[in-house]
Amino acid sequence: MSIKIKKHILPVAMVIGAILSLSHERFEAPEFVTPTVLPVTDQQAVYQQYDASTELTHMVHSATAVALPNGNLLAMWYGGSREGHTDVKIYSSLFDQQQQQWQAPKAILDRMQVSNDLDRYVKKVGNPVLIRHPQGPLVLVYVSVSLAGWATSQINMMVSYDDGQTWHPSKHLVTSPFINISTLVKNDAVIYEDGTIGITAYHELLGEFSEIVRVTLDGQVINKYRMSAGDKTIQPTVATYSATEAVTFMRDTGKDVQKVRRSVTDDGGLTWSAYETTQLDNLSSAIFTFTGHKGRSWMVYNDAPKGQEHGRNTLALAVSDDKGINWKTVHHFERIETPEVKESKFAYPWVARGFDGQFHLFYTWNRKIIKHIAFNQAWLEGKV
Amino acid sequence: MNTFFSLMTHGLLLMTVFLMLLQVRRWKQYWPLAYMLSAAIIVLPISDWLLIEFSRGLFTDLSLASIVMLAMYLFSILKPQRPRNQISFNLAIILFAILLYPASMGVGMFDPYAIGFASHIYYDYLVLAIAVIGIACAYLGQWQLALWLTLACLAHGLHLFESSNLWNYLLDPFAVIAGMVSIISAASQKVFLKFTNGNDHSVQSNA
Protein backbone atom coordinates (compact mmCIF):
# COMPACT_ATOMS: atom_id res chain seq x y z
CA MET A 1 0.00 0.00 0.00
CA SER A 2 2.73 2.44 1.02
CA ILE A 3 4.65 1.64 -2.18
CA LYS A 4 1.57 2.45 -4.23
CA ILE A 5 1.09 5.79 -2.41
CA LYS A 6 4.77 6.68 -2.92
CA LYS A 7 4.41 5.94 -6.60
CA HIS A 8 1.65 8.55 -6.93
CA ILE A 9 3.18 11.33 -4.82
CA LEU A 10 5.12 12.98 -7.64
CA PRO A 11 2.29 12.82 -10.22
CA VAL A 12 -0.18 14.28 -7.71
CA ALA A 13 2.31 17.04 -6.81
CA MET A 14 2.82 17.71 -10.51
CA VAL A 15 -0.92 18.08 -11.10
CA ILE A 16 -1.13 20.54 -8.21
CA GLY A 17 1.89 22.47 -9.57
CA ALA A 18 0.38 22.60 -13.06
CA ILE A 19 -2.98 23.83 -11.71
CA LEU A 20 -1.23 26.54 -9.68
CA SER A 21 0.87 27.58 -12.69
CA LEU A 22 -2.16 27.68 -14.97
CA SER A 23 -4.01 29.86 -12.47
CA HIS A 24 -1.48 32.72 -12.76
CA GLU A 25 -3.02 36.05 -13.75
CA ARG A 26 -3.36 36.63 -17.52
CA PHE A 27 -3.27 39.92 -19.40
CA GLU A 28 -4.91 40.74 -22.70
CA ALA A 29 -3.05 41.48 -25.92
CA PRO A 30 -1.38 44.91 -25.68
CA GLU A 31 -2.99 48.14 -26.89
CA PHE A 32 -1.07 51.40 -26.71
CA VAL A 33 -2.14 54.58 -24.98
CA THR A 34 -1.20 57.29 -27.48
CA PRO A 35 0.20 60.57 -26.14
CA THR A 36 -2.11 63.55 -26.34
CA VAL A 37 -0.89 66.19 -28.76
CA LEU A 38 -2.17 69.64 -27.91
CA PRO A 39 -3.04 72.00 -30.78
CA VAL A 40 -0.59 74.77 -31.60
CA THR A 41 -1.99 77.74 -29.73
CA ASP A 42 1.19 79.70 -29.05
CA GLN A 43 2.02 82.03 -31.90
CA GLN A 44 5.37 82.86 -30.37
CA ALA A 45 8.15 80.33 -30.63
CA VAL A 46 9.74 79.47 -27.28
CA TYR A 47 13.31 78.18 -27.03
CA GLN A 48 15.17 78.39 -23.73
CA GLN A 49 18.30 76.68 -22.42
CA TYR A 50 19.19 75.67 -18.86
CA ASP A 51 21.66 73.50 -16.99
CA ALA A 52 19.68 70.83 -15.15
CA SER A 53 22.68 69.55 -13.20
CA THR A 54 25.43 71.32 -11.32
CA GLU A 55 29.06 70.21 -11.12
CA LEU A 56 28.29 68.26 -7.97
CA THR A 57 29.87 65.16 -9.48
CA HIS A 58 32.77 64.85 -11.89
CA MET A 59 30.69 62.90 -14.38
CA VAL A 60 26.99 62.92 -15.26
CA HIS A 61 25.16 60.88 -17.86
CA SER A 62 21.87 59.41 -19.08
CA ALA A 63 19.20 61.97 -18.22
CA THR A 64 15.49 61.24 -17.94
CA ALA A 65 12.62 63.54 -17.03
CA VAL A 66 8.87 63.80 -16.64
CA ALA A 67 6.48 66.70 -16.28
CA LEU A 68 4.61 66.95 -13.00
CA PRO A 69 0.91 67.96 -12.82
CA ASN A 70 1.83 71.27 -11.13
CA GLY A 71 3.86 72.27 -14.18
CA ASN A 72 7.26 71.53 -12.68
CA LEU A 73 9.70 69.03 -14.16
CA LEU A 74 11.45 66.17 -12.43
CA ALA A 75 14.76 65.08 -13.97
CA MET A 76 17.16 62.31 -13.02
CA TRP A 77 20.55 61.14 -14.18
CA TYR A 78 23.46 59.19 -12.80
CA GLY A 79 26.66 60.81 -11.62
CA GLY A 80 29.90 60.00 -9.83
CA SER A 81 33.65 60.12 -10.20
CA ARG A 82 33.46 58.12 -13.43
CA GLU A 83 31.03 55.88 -15.31
CA GLY A 84 30.58 52.51 -13.65
CA HIS A 85 32.37 53.50 -10.44
CA THR A 86 30.94 52.25 -7.15
CA ASP A 87 30.39 55.88 -6.04
CA VAL A 88 27.89 56.48 -8.83
CA LYS A 89 24.45 57.52 -7.59
CA ILE A 90 21.20 58.44 -9.23
CA TYR A 91 20.51 62.15 -8.79
CA SER A 92 17.24 63.99 -9.00
CA SER A 93 16.42 67.65 -9.50
CA LEU A 94 13.25 69.69 -9.79
CA PHE A 95 12.63 72.49 -12.27
CA ASP A 96 10.46 75.19 -10.78
CA GLN A 97 8.31 76.41 -13.65
CA GLN A 98 7.38 79.67 -11.92
CA GLN A 99 10.94 80.63 -11.02
CA GLN A 100 12.25 79.11 -14.23
CA GLN A 101 15.20 77.47 -12.52
CA TRP A 102 16.54 74.12 -11.43
CA GLN A 103 16.85 73.29 -7.76
CA ALA A 104 20.04 71.79 -6.37
CA PRO A 105 20.26 68.10 -7.27
CA LYS A 106 20.12 65.46 -4.57
CA ALA A 107 21.14 61.81 -4.59
CA ILE A 108 18.11 59.55 -4.37
CA LEU A 109 19.62 56.13 -4.95
CA ASP A 110 22.99 54.44 -4.64
CA ARG A 111 24.18 50.87 -4.85
CA MET A 112 23.97 50.33 -1.07
CA GLN A 113 20.30 51.32 -0.98
CA VAL A 114 19.58 49.11 -3.97
CA SER A 115 21.49 46.32 -2.28
CA ASN A 116 19.41 46.69 0.88
CA ASP A 117 16.16 46.79 -1.07
CA LEU A 118 17.05 43.70 -3.10
CA ASP A 119 18.92 41.71 -0.42
CA ARG A 120 21.94 41.06 -2.62
CA TYR A 121 25.31 42.41 -3.65
CA VAL A 122 25.16 45.26 -6.17
CA LYS A 123 28.29 46.67 -7.83
CA LYS A 124 26.95 49.73 -9.62
CA VAL A 125 23.82 51.50 -10.82
CA GLY A 126 22.98 53.51 -13.94
CA ASN A 127 20.56 54.51 -16.73
CA PRO A 128 17.46 55.80 -14.90
CA VAL A 129 14.22 55.97 -16.90
CA LEU A 130 11.25 57.89 -15.52
CA ILE A 131 7.73 56.96 -16.54
CA ARG A 132 4.57 58.92 -15.78
CA HIS A 133 1.80 56.42 -15.34
CA PRO A 134 -1.67 57.64 -16.39
CA GLN A 135 -3.10 56.47 -13.05
CA GLY A 136 -0.88 59.00 -11.26
CA PRO A 137 2.26 57.35 -9.87
CA LEU A 138 5.76 57.92 -11.16
CA VAL A 139 7.76 54.84 -12.05
CA LEU A 140 11.56 54.73 -12.06
CA VAL A 141 13.25 51.91 -13.93
CA TYR A 142 17.02 51.71 -13.67
CA VAL A 143 19.92 49.39 -14.34
CA SER A 144 22.03 47.62 -11.72
CA VAL A 145 25.12 45.50 -12.24
CA SER A 146 26.50 42.84 -9.92
CA LEU A 147 28.59 40.56 -12.11
CA ALA A 148 30.80 42.45 -14.59
CA GLY A 149 30.28 45.25 -17.16
CA TRP A 150 27.14 46.94 -18.50
CA ALA A 151 26.39 43.93 -20.70
CA THR A 152 25.54 41.97 -17.52
CA SER A 153 23.01 44.55 -16.31
CA GLN A 154 19.68 43.77 -14.72
CA ILE A 155 16.74 46.12 -14.37
CA ASN A 156 14.84 47.24 -11.29
CA MET A 157 11.76 49.31 -10.70
CA MET A 158 10.57 51.79 -8.06
CA VAL A 159 7.25 53.60 -7.69
CA SER A 160 6.44 56.97 -6.17
CA TYR A 161 2.93 58.12 -5.29
CA ASP A 162 3.93 61.67 -4.33
CA ASP A 163 5.54 62.87 -7.56
CA GLY A 164 9.02 61.70 -6.67
CA GLN A 165 9.33 63.01 -3.11
CA THR A 166 9.49 59.49 -1.67
CA TRP A 167 9.99 56.16 -3.38
CA HIS A 168 8.88 52.65 -2.50
CA PRO A 169 11.69 50.06 -2.26
CA SER A 170 13.12 48.72 -5.51
CA LYS A 171 11.77 45.57 -7.11
CA HIS A 172 14.08 43.37 -9.12
CA LEU A 173 12.72 42.41 -12.54
CA VAL A 174 13.61 38.96 -13.87
CA THR A 175 13.72 39.30 -17.63
CA SER A 176 16.27 36.79 -18.93
CA PRO A 177 16.85 33.04 -18.64
CA PHE A 178 20.63 33.34 -18.43
CA ILE A 179 21.21 34.21 -14.73
CA ASN A 180 18.98 37.19 -15.50
CA ILE A 181 21.76 39.18 -17.14
CA SER A 182 21.86 41.67 -19.98
CA THR A 183 18.70 43.69 -19.87
CA LEU A 184 19.23 47.46 -20.02
CA VAL A 185 17.06 50.53 -20.43
CA LYS A 186 17.63 53.97 -21.90
CA ASN A 187 14.48 55.35 -23.54
CA ASP A 188 10.89 56.20 -22.71
CA ALA A 189 8.39 53.40 -22.03
CA VAL A 190 5.02 52.82 -23.68
CA ILE A 191 1.82 52.55 -21.65
CA TYR A 192 -0.92 50.06 -22.46
CA GLU A 193 -4.68 50.56 -22.18
CA ASP A 194 -4.91 48.10 -19.27
CA GLY A 195 -2.43 50.15 -17.22
CA THR A 196 0.53 47.85 -17.79
CA ILE A 197 3.85 49.35 -18.81
CA GLY A 198 6.01 48.41 -21.80
CA ILE A 199 9.61 49.08 -20.80
CA THR A 200 11.66 49.63 -23.96
CA ALA A 201 14.69 47.50 -23.14
CA TYR A 202 17.67 46.02 -24.94
CA HIS A 203 20.08 43.15 -24.62
CA GLU A 204 23.84 43.45 -25.09
CA LEU A 205 25.43 40.09 -24.30
CA LEU A 206 26.24 37.94 -27.37
CA GLY A 207 23.23 39.16 -29.36
CA GLU A 208 22.44 42.87 -29.38
CA PHE A 209 18.72 43.38 -29.80
CA SER A 210 15.71 45.39 -28.64
CA GLU A 211 12.62 44.23 -26.82
CA ILE A 212 9.65 45.41 -24.79
CA VAL A 213 9.40 44.10 -21.24
CA ARG A 214 5.76 44.38 -20.16
CA VAL A 215 5.23 44.86 -16.43
CA THR A 216 2.45 45.70 -14.02
CA LEU A 217 2.62 48.75 -11.80
CA ASP A 218 3.58 46.50 -8.86
CA GLY A 219 6.65 45.22 -10.71
CA GLN A 220 5.46 41.87 -12.02
CA VAL A 221 6.95 40.97 -15.42
CA ILE A 222 4.07 39.61 -17.51
CA ASN A 223 5.49 39.26 -21.02
CA LYS A 224 8.27 40.20 -23.41
CA TYR A 225 8.03 41.18 -27.07
CA ARG A 226 11.09 40.87 -29.31
CA MET A 227 11.59 43.94 -31.53
CA SER A 228 14.71 42.88 -33.41
CA ALA A 229 16.97 39.87 -33.76
CA GLY A 230 20.41 39.89 -32.14
CA ASP A 231 21.89 42.01 -34.86
CA LYS A 232 23.38 45.25 -33.51
CA THR A 233 20.11 47.07 -32.83
CA ILE A 234 19.71 48.47 -29.33
CA GLN A 235 18.13 51.30 -27.32
CA PRO A 236 14.72 51.32 -29.00
CA THR A 237 12.71 54.52 -28.96
CA VAL A 238 9.02 54.12 -29.80
CA ALA A 239 6.53 56.49 -31.40
CA THR A 240 2.91 55.34 -31.00
CA TYR A 241 0.29 56.43 -33.54
CA SER A 242 -2.81 54.45 -32.51
CA ALA A 243 -3.82 51.67 -30.10
CA THR A 244 -2.15 49.11 -32.32
CA GLU A 245 0.25 51.04 -34.52
CA ALA A 246 3.75 52.15 -33.55
CA VAL A 247 7.20 52.58 -35.01
CA THR A 248 10.48 51.93 -33.24
CA PHE A 249 13.85 53.38 -34.11
CA MET A 250 17.00 51.70 -32.90
CA ARG A 251 20.62 52.62 -32.41
CA ASP A 252 22.96 50.79 -34.81
CA THR A 253 25.96 49.37 -32.96
CA GLY A 254 27.41 47.73 -36.08
CA LYS A 255 30.32 48.99 -38.16
CA ASP A 256 28.85 48.46 -41.64
CA VAL A 257 25.70 50.48 -42.26
CA GLN A 258 25.76 52.94 -39.34
CA LYS A 259 22.24 54.27 -39.84
CA VAL A 260 19.21 54.47 -37.53
CA ARG A 261 17.11 51.29 -37.91
CA ARG A 262 13.31 51.30 -38.13
CA SER A 263 10.71 48.64 -37.41
CA VAL A 264 6.89 48.78 -37.25
CA THR A 265 4.08 47.02 -35.43
CA ASP A 266 0.37 46.94 -36.19
CA ASP A 267 -0.68 44.68 -33.31
CA GLY A 268 0.16 46.77 -30.27
CA GLY A 269 3.80 45.72 -30.21
CA LEU A 270 3.16 41.98 -30.03
CA THR A 271 5.16 41.46 -33.23
CA TRP A 272 7.53 43.78 -35.08
CA SER A 273 8.57 43.83 -38.72
CA ALA A 274 12.10 43.03 -39.82
CA TYR A 275 14.00 46.29 -39.41
CA GLU A 276 14.87 48.56 -42.28
CA THR A 277 17.50 51.25 -42.63
CA THR A 278 16.58 54.95 -42.48
CA GLN A 279 18.51 57.85 -43.99
CA LEU A 280 19.63 59.04 -40.56
CA ASP A 281 23.31 58.55 -39.76
CA ASN A 282 24.09 56.76 -36.54
CA LEU A 283 27.62 56.06 -35.38
CA SER A 284 26.34 53.93 -32.52
CA SER A 285 24.85 56.73 -30.46
CA ALA A 286 21.58 57.01 -28.55
CA ILE A 287 18.51 58.49 -30.26
CA PHE A 288 15.11 59.69 -29.05
CA THR A 289 11.87 60.05 -31.01
CA PHE A 290 8.63 61.82 -30.15
CA THR A 291 5.45 62.69 -31.98
CA GLY A 292 4.06 66.17 -32.45
CA HIS A 293 1.43 68.19 -34.25
CA LYS A 294 -0.07 66.86 -37.54
CA GLY A 295 1.18 63.35 -36.85
CA ARG A 296 4.78 64.34 -37.39
CA SER A 297 7.61 62.30 -35.94
CA TRP A 298 10.66 64.03 -34.54
CA MET A 299 14.05 62.59 -33.79
CA VAL A 300 16.94 63.91 -31.70
CA TYR A 301 20.16 62.24 -32.77
CA ASN A 302 23.86 62.67 -33.50
CA ASP A 303 24.06 63.21 -37.25
CA ALA A 304 27.77 62.52 -37.80
CA PRO A 305 28.16 60.58 -41.05
CA LYS A 306 29.99 57.29 -41.44
CA GLY A 307 33.75 57.71 -41.36
CA GLN A 308 33.74 60.74 -39.07
CA GLU A 309 36.10 60.28 -36.17
CA HIS A 310 34.05 61.94 -33.44
CA GLY A 311 30.50 60.69 -33.73
CA ARG A 312 28.92 62.81 -31.01
CA ASN A 313 30.11 66.29 -31.98
CA THR A 314 26.63 67.28 -33.11
CA LEU A 315 23.12 66.92 -31.76
CA ALA A 316 20.47 67.35 -34.41
CA LEU A 317 16.70 67.43 -34.81
CA ALA A 318 15.03 65.69 -37.75
CA VAL A 319 11.38 65.59 -38.78
CA SER A 320 9.35 63.05 -40.70
CA ASP A 321 5.82 63.31 -42.12
CA ASP A 322 5.54 59.62 -43.00
CA LYS A 323 6.15 57.86 -39.69
CA GLY A 324 9.88 57.80 -40.00
CA ILE A 325 10.40 56.58 -43.57
CA ASN A 326 11.81 59.86 -44.90
CA TRP A 327 13.57 62.38 -42.70
CA LYS A 328 14.77 65.93 -42.97
CA THR A 329 17.30 67.36 -40.52
CA VAL A 330 16.00 70.80 -39.56
CA HIS A 331 18.05 72.01 -36.63
CA HIS A 332 21.25 71.47 -34.66
CA PHE A 333 21.09 71.87 -30.89
CA GLU A 334 24.86 71.42 -30.81
CA ARG A 335 27.43 71.51 -33.55
CA ILE A 336 31.24 71.68 -33.34
CA GLU A 337 32.33 73.44 -36.52
CA THR A 338 35.65 71.62 -36.81
CA PRO A 339 34.67 68.13 -35.78
CA GLU A 340 37.88 66.52 -36.96
CA VAL A 341 40.05 68.46 -34.57
CA LYS A 342 37.94 68.72 -31.47
CA GLU A 343 36.04 65.98 -29.72
CA SER A 344 32.88 66.77 -27.80
CA LYS A 345 30.18 64.50 -26.58
CA PHE A 346 26.52 65.45 -26.80
CA ALA A 347 24.82 62.24 -25.93
CA TYR A 348 21.82 60.34 -24.62
CA PRO A 349 18.95 62.67 -25.59
CA TRP A 350 15.60 62.47 -23.81
CA VAL A 351 12.47 64.50 -24.53
CA ALA A 352 9.75 65.02 -21.92
CA ARG A 353 6.35 66.39 -22.86
CA GLY A 354 4.86 69.04 -20.55
CA PHE A 355 1.18 69.21 -19.66
CA ASP A 356 1.16 72.64 -21.35
CA GLY A 357 2.28 71.17 -24.67
CA GLN A 358 5.90 72.26 -24.32
CA PHE A 359 8.75 69.89 -25.01
CA HIS A 360 11.85 69.56 -22.85
CA LEU A 361 15.03 68.12 -24.31
CA PHE A 362 17.68 66.77 -21.95
CA TYR A 363 21.09 65.49 -22.96
CA THR A 364 24.57 64.84 -21.59
CA TRP A 365 26.94 67.70 -22.40
CA ASN A 366 30.52 66.43 -22.43
CA ARG A 367 29.70 64.16 -19.50
CA LYS A 368 29.90 67.30 -17.32
CA ILE A 369 26.42 68.78 -17.36
CA ILE A 370 22.88 67.70 -18.10
CA LYS A 371 21.55 70.31 -20.52
CA HIS A 372 17.89 71.22 -20.72
CA ILE A 373 16.32 72.94 -23.71
CA ALA A 374 12.65 73.89 -23.56
CA PHE A 375 10.78 74.56 -26.81
CA ASN A 376 7.17 74.71 -27.85
CA GLN A 377 5.15 73.44 -30.78
CA ALA A 378 5.30 76.82 -32.50
CA TRP A 379 9.11 76.57 -32.48
CA LEU A 380 8.90 73.03 -33.87
CA GLU A 381 6.45 74.05 -36.59
CA GLY A 382 8.72 76.89 -37.53
CA LYS A 383 11.44 74.39 -38.33
CA VAL A 384 9.39 72.39 -40.84
CA MET B 1 9.39 35.05 1.18
CA ASN B 2 11.21 35.12 -2.20
CA THR B 3 14.33 36.37 -0.44
CA PHE B 4 14.24 33.60 2.16
CA PHE B 5 13.98 30.78 -0.38
CA SER B 6 16.53 32.39 -2.68
CA LEU B 7 19.13 32.83 0.08
CA MET B 8 18.48 29.25 1.25
CA THR B 9 19.32 27.90 -2.20
CA HIS B 10 22.50 29.98 -2.36
CA GLY B 11 23.36 28.57 1.06
CA LEU B 12 22.95 25.12 -0.46
CA LEU B 13 25.20 26.06 -3.38
CA LEU B 14 27.96 27.52 -1.20
CA MET B 15 27.82 24.74 1.39
CA THR B 16 28.25 22.15 -1.36
CA VAL B 17 31.23 24.02 -2.78
CA PHE B 18 32.87 24.37 0.64
CA LEU B 19 32.28 20.73 1.58
CA MET B 20 33.92 19.73 -1.68
CA LEU B 21 36.86 22.03 -1.01
CA LEU B 22 37.15 20.75 2.56
CA GLN B 23 37.11 17.17 1.27
CA VAL B 24 34.53 16.24 3.87
CA ARG B 25 34.94 12.48 3.22
CA ARG B 26 38.37 12.64 4.81
CA TRP B 27 36.93 14.10 8.01
CA LYS B 28 35.40 10.67 8.81
CA GLN B 29 33.57 10.78 12.17
CA TYR B 30 34.21 14.55 12.40
CA TRP B 31 32.03 15.28 9.37
CA PRO B 32 29.47 17.28 11.41
CA LEU B 33 32.27 19.77 12.12
CA ALA B 34 32.85 20.22 8.38
CA TYR B 35 29.13 20.84 7.89
CA MET B 36 29.07 23.36 10.74
CA LEU B 37 32.14 25.13 9.40
CA SER B 38 30.59 25.40 5.93
CA ALA B 39 27.32 26.66 7.40
CA ALA B 40 29.24 29.34 9.29
CA ILE B 41 31.30 30.43 6.27
CA ILE B 42 28.25 31.07 4.07
CA VAL B 43 26.92 33.71 6.45
CA LEU B 44 30.27 35.41 6.96
CA PRO B 45 30.04 39.15 6.32
CA ILE B 46 32.46 40.38 3.66
CA SER B 47 32.49 44.13 3.25
CA ASP B 48 28.79 45.03 3.52
CA TRP B 49 27.34 41.72 2.41
CA LEU B 50 26.96 38.15 3.60
CA LEU B 51 28.57 35.57 1.37
CA ILE B 52 25.15 34.25 0.34
CA GLU B 53 24.12 37.79 -0.65
CA PHE B 54 27.19 37.99 -2.89
CA SER B 55 26.20 34.71 -4.46
CA ARG B 56 22.63 35.91 -4.98
CA GLY B 57 23.84 39.17 -6.49
CA LEU B 58 26.15 37.44 -8.94
CA PHE B 59 24.03 34.49 -9.98
CA THR B 60 20.40 35.44 -9.10
CA ASP B 61 17.95 32.66 -8.22
CA LEU B 62 18.96 29.10 -8.96
CA SER B 63 16.67 26.83 -10.94
CA LEU B 64 15.17 23.65 -9.53
CA ALA B 65 17.49 21.63 -11.77
CA SER B 66 20.49 23.05 -9.91
CA ILE B 67 18.77 22.77 -6.54
CA VAL B 68 17.92 19.08 -7.11
CA MET B 69 21.54 18.36 -8.12
CA LEU B 70 22.98 20.29 -5.18
CA ALA B 71 20.65 18.68 -2.66
CA MET B 72 21.46 15.24 -4.03
CA TYR B 73 25.16 15.94 -3.77
CA LEU B 74 24.96 17.48 -0.31
CA PHE B 75 22.93 14.67 1.22
CA SER B 76 24.98 11.91 -0.36
CA ILE B 77 28.45 13.37 -0.03
CA LEU B 78 29.30 10.98 2.82
CA LYS B 79 27.86 7.84 1.29
CA PRO B 80 30.40 5.37 -0.09
CA GLN B 81 28.57 5.15 -3.40
CA ARG B 82 27.61 8.58 -4.66
CA PRO B 83 24.42 8.57 -6.72
CA ARG B 84 24.95 9.86 -10.25
CA ASN B 85 22.51 11.97 -12.21
CA GLN B 86 20.22 9.82 -14.29
CA ILE B 87 21.12 10.06 -17.98
CA SER B 88 17.53 11.11 -18.85
CA PHE B 89 17.86 14.03 -16.40
CA ASN B 90 21.12 15.25 -17.95
CA LEU B 91 19.84 14.85 -21.50
CA ALA B 92 16.58 16.67 -20.74
CA ILE B 93 18.50 19.62 -19.25
CA ILE B 94 20.74 19.85 -22.31
CA LEU B 95 17.77 19.54 -24.68
CA PHE B 96 15.91 22.31 -22.84
CA ALA B 97 19.04 24.47 -22.96
CA ILE B 98 19.38 23.99 -26.73
CA LEU B 99 15.72 24.95 -27.19
CA LEU B 100 15.94 27.96 -24.88
CA TYR B 101 19.31 29.70 -24.81
CA PRO B 102 20.39 30.45 -28.41
CA ALA B 103 17.05 31.97 -29.40
CA SER B 104 16.55 33.84 -26.14
CA MET B 105 20.04 35.34 -26.44
CA GLY B 106 19.15 36.84 -29.83
CA VAL B 107 19.25 34.21 -32.56
CA GLY B 108 16.21 35.12 -34.67
CA MET B 109 13.03 36.98 -33.82
CA PHE B 110 11.32 34.16 -31.90
CA ASP B 111 11.87 34.32 -28.16
CA PRO B 112 11.13 30.96 -26.47
CA TYR B 113 11.76 32.52 -23.05
CA ALA B 114 8.60 34.65 -23.44
CA ILE B 115 6.49 31.45 -23.58
CA GLY B 116 7.26 31.00 -19.88
CA PHE B 117 5.13 34.06 -18.98
CA ALA B 118 1.47 33.32 -18.15
CA SER B 119 0.19 35.92 -20.62
CA HIS B 120 1.92 34.30 -23.59
CA ILE B 121 -0.44 32.49 -25.96
CA TYR B 122 1.60 29.25 -25.80
CA TYR B 123 2.08 29.29 -22.02
CA ASP B 124 -0.66 26.72 -21.33
CA TYR B 125 0.94 24.30 -23.79
CA LEU B 126 4.33 24.67 -22.08
CA VAL B 127 2.85 23.98 -18.62
CA LEU B 128 0.87 20.99 -19.92
CA ALA B 129 3.91 19.59 -21.76
CA ILE B 130 6.02 19.83 -18.59
CA ALA B 131 3.23 18.20 -16.55
CA VAL B 132 2.77 15.33 -19.00
CA ILE B 133 6.53 14.68 -19.25
CA GLY B 134 6.87 14.88 -15.46
CA ILE B 135 4.01 12.45 -14.78
CA ALA B 136 5.18 10.03 -17.50
CA CYS B 137 8.72 10.08 -16.06
CA ALA B 138 7.39 9.36 -12.56
CA TYR B 139 5.65 6.20 -13.78
CA LEU B 140 8.57 5.20 -16.02
CA GLY B 141 11.02 5.23 -13.12
CA GLN B 142 12.89 8.37 -14.22
CA TRP B 143 12.52 9.74 -10.71
CA GLN B 144 15.15 12.49 -10.93
CA LEU B 145 13.65 13.96 -14.05
CA ALA B 146 10.15 13.68 -12.55
CA LEU B 147 11.29 15.27 -9.28
CA TRP B 148 12.95 18.18 -11.10
CA LEU B 149 9.93 18.97 -13.30
CA THR B 150 7.46 18.56 -10.44
CA LEU B 151 9.38 20.80 -8.05
CA ALA B 152 9.91 23.40 -10.81
CA CYS B 153 6.19 23.44 -11.61
CA LEU B 154 5.22 23.63 -7.93
CA ALA B 155 7.75 26.38 -7.15
CA HIS B 156 6.57 28.40 -10.15
CA GLY B 157 2.93 27.83 -9.25
CA LEU B 158 3.62 29.08 -5.72
CA HIS B 159 5.85 31.92 -7.04
CA LEU B 160 8.63 30.93 -4.61
CA PHE B 161 11.28 33.05 -6.34
CA GLU B 162 11.26 36.51 -7.93
CA SER B 163 10.68 35.33 -11.47
CA SER B 164 7.21 34.91 -12.91
CA ASN B 165 8.65 32.93 -15.83
CA LEU B 166 8.49 29.11 -15.75
CA TRP B 167 11.84 28.79 -17.57
CA ASN B 168 13.71 30.39 -14.66
CA TYR B 169 12.39 27.63 -12.37
CA LEU B 170 13.34 24.90 -14.82
CA LEU B 171 16.81 25.80 -15.95
CA ASP B 172 19.93 27.85 -15.36
CA PRO B 173 23.40 27.74 -16.94
CA PHE B 174 24.95 25.99 -13.91
CA ALA B 175 22.57 23.05 -14.29
CA VAL B 176 23.44 22.87 -17.99
CA ILE B 177 27.18 22.86 -17.27
CA ALA B 178 26.73 20.25 -14.54
CA GLY B 179 24.57 18.12 -16.86
CA MET B 180 27.21 18.28 -19.60
CA VAL B 181 30.04 17.46 -17.19
CA SER B 182 28.01 14.57 -15.82
CA ILE B 183 27.40 13.14 -19.30
CA ILE B 184 31.03 13.58 -20.37
CA SER B 185 32.26 12.02 -17.14
CA ALA B 186 29.87 9.03 -17.46
CA ALA B 187 30.83 8.54 -21.11
CA SER B 188 34.58 8.78 -20.46
CA GLN B 189 34.24 6.33 -17.57
CA LYS B 190 32.43 3.90 -19.87
CA VAL B 191 35.14 4.23 -22.52
CA PHE B 192 37.85 3.82 -19.89
CA LEU B 193 36.19 0.68 -18.50
CA LYS B 194 35.80 -0.72 -21.99
CA PHE B 195 39.51 -0.20 -22.69
CA THR B 196 40.51 -1.60 -19.32
CA ASN B 197 38.37 -4.70 -19.83
CA GLY B 198 39.78 -5.08 -23.33
CA ASN B 199 43.34 -4.93 -22.06
CA ASP B 200 42.57 -7.35 -19.27
CA HIS B 201 41.00 -9.71 -21.79
CA SER B 202 44.01 -9.48 -24.11
CA VAL B 203 46.38 -10.11 -21.21
CA GLN B 204 44.36 -13.17 -20.25
CA SER B 205 44.41 -14.41 -23.87
CA ASN B 206 48.13 -14.03 -24.11
CA ALA B 207 48.48 -15.90 -20.88
Side-chain angles (χ1 to χ4, degrees), chain A residues 22-242:
Chain A
L22 290 172
S23 64
H24 281 197
E25 191 180 2
R26 313 295 174 103
F27 290 82
E28 295 298 315
E31 284 190 355
F32 299 118
V33 172
T34 48
T36 315
V37 178
L38 300 175
V40 183
T41 49
D42 299 337
Q43 296 302 311
Q44 199 71 33
V46 172
Y47 185 90
Q48 288 162 319
Q49 296 188 59
Y50 309 89
D51 288 347
S53 70
T54 59
E55 294 193 20
L56 180 68
T57 56
H58 185 254
M59 176 277 314
V60 293
H61 194 36
S62 194
T64 176
V66 286
L68 302 179
N70 61 6
N72 293 342
L73 293 169
L74 177 71
M76 288 189 188
W77 59 87
Y78 72 83
S81 56
R82 64 176 164 78
E83 183 177 326
H85 196 276
T86 52
D87 68 5
V88 165
K89 295 173 184 166
I90 292 177
Y91 289 86
S92 141
S93 185
L94 206 63
F95 182 71
D96 190 319
Q97 195 69 261
Q98 284 190 332
Q99 295 184 5
Q100 289 287 296
Q101 66 178 26
W102 284 94
Q103 294 178 358
K106 56 180 182 186
I108 62 145
L109 198 65
D110 63 12
R111 69 175 189 134
M112 294 312 294
Q113 189 190 326
V114 177
S115 183
N116 285 336
D117 285 355
L118 304 179
D119 293 302
R120 75 197 69 198
Y121 164 70
V122 173
K123 194 164 100 180
K124 59 186 178 184
V125 293
N127 286 24
V129 166
L130 277 168
I131 303 157
R132 165 153 294 289
H133 195 275
Q135 287 165 13
L138 286 183
V139 178
L140 169 65
V141 181
Y142 64 93
V143 156
S144 68
V145 176
S146 298
L147 193 59
W150 288 122
T152 64
S153 293
Q154 303 171 341
I155 55 173
N156 311 290
M157 181 172 151
M158 295 172 92
V159 179
S160 169
Y161 290 90
D162 54 10
D163 283 335
Q165 291 175 56
T166 58
W167 292 88
H168 285 238
S170 295
K171 279 204 79 171
H172 188 65
L173 306 183
V174 182
T175 56
S176 146
F178 202 84
I179 56 171
N180 194 29
I181 54 173
S182 205
T183 304
L184 298 94
V185 289
K186 149 68 184 89
N187 281 331
D188 200 7
V190 290
I191 305 291
Y192 296 113
E193 291 284 357
D194 61 2
T196 57
I197 301 163
I199 299 169
T200 54
Y202 59 102
H203 181 106
E204 275 194 350
L205 189 74
L206 303 177
E208 294 180 23
F209 58 88
S210 298
E211 60 189 5
I212 286 181
V213 176
R214 190 176 173 195
V215 297
T216 59
L217 196 52
D218 62 356
Q220 196 69 26
V221 182
I222 55 172
N223 217 332
K224 287 213 312 181
Y225 309 121
R226 180 74 58 91
M227 298 169 108
S228 65
D231 191 21
K232 313 286 183 192
T233 43
I234 64 166
Q235 295 180 347
T237 172
V238 178
T240 52
Y241 297 101
S242 72

